[in-house]
Amino acid sequence: MTNKQQHSSRTIMTITIAVAAVLVVIVWPLSMMGKGDVAASASDDAELRIQPVARVEMQKAVVKSDGKPRDGATIYNTVCTACHATGVAGAPKTGDKAAWAPRIATGNAALLMSATNGKNAMPARGGAADLSDAELKAAVDYLVGKAK
Ligand code: HEC
């Protein structure tokens, strides 16, 4: 390569980099403008899609309380079974002693606390906000009883 050729190829490279920089800094943000709303609603959709399947289905299944407290088995069968029967999202499976033993070892109060406030993928009150404290406790006792 002659000096002149070297010089011109360096010029071409410099121009290429400059153009790329302009594209990234100016054109790309411009092309994103006005897409803000689309992006936001797309992420809402994504959130809906990654929700535990059960949370959506459960809402149909929950038996509305008619004033009388529901017993643990009823609540388990309408709310908790959605995840705990199959172990969805890492839920300890109903009756799986090995999965429950370390949790049971933390004590009933701790388990009830997790069930009340939620824990990781476990929604507060299993996602059924209308459960009374007594109903929730009955459901926890029922679930724990199955694994003893
Ligand atoms: C949407 C799915 C889902 C539903 C519905 C659900 N659980 Fe869970 N549950 C989980 C998951 C996931 C965990 C494991 C949480 C962890 O330790 O990461 C869990 C854990 C638990 C634990 C153990 C908490 C601990 O401290 O180790 C208890 C107790 C429990 N659930 C009770 C219930 C009861 C009672 C119901 C019904 C009222 C219920 N769950 C409904 C997903 C669910």
Side-chain angles (χ1 to χ4, degrees):
M1 247 187 214
T2 66
N3 256 354
K4 204 174 169 199
Q5 276 173 326
Q6 258 178 358
H7 178 79
S8 75
S9 69
R10 206 178 306 137
T11 307
I12 290 172
M13 200 161 80
T14 309
I15 291 173
T16 309
I17 291 171
V19 168
V22 167
L23 281 176
V24 169
V25 173
I26 299 172
V27 179
W28 186 66
L30 276 180
S31 74
M32 295 309 272
M33 270 171 64
K35 290 196 185 152
D37 292 344
V38 178
S41 70
S43 75
D44 284 355
D45 280 358
E47 243 157 68
L48 271 182
R49 269 182 272 123
I50 60 173
Q51 266 190 353
V53 183
R55 198 177 304 175
V56 181
E57 287 177 356
M58 203 170 48
Q59 257 135 30
K60 288 184 267 164
V62 173
V63 180
K64 278 284 154 230
S65 58
D66 51 4
K68 275 185 273 168
R70 293 157 288 183
D71 67 7
T74 305
I75 291 161
Y76 170 78
N77 285 315
T78 50
V79 181
C80 324
T81 187
C83 296
H84 286 278
T86 54
V88 167
K93 267 169 101 166
T94 310
D96 182 341
K97 292 194 170 76
W100 279 98
R103 296 176 190 270
I104 289 172
T106 65
N108 277 355
L111 295 183
L112 185 57
M113 182 78 89
S114 305
T116 306
N117 300 324
K119 183 181 178 189
N120 300 324
M122 159 88 196
R125 293 180 190 270
D130 68 330
L131 290 185
S132 72
D133 290 346
E135 287 174 326
L136 185 64
K137 182 176 185 308
V140 170
D141 289 348
Y142 178 87
L143 196 49
V144 166
K146 288 273 178 194
K148 273 189 171 160

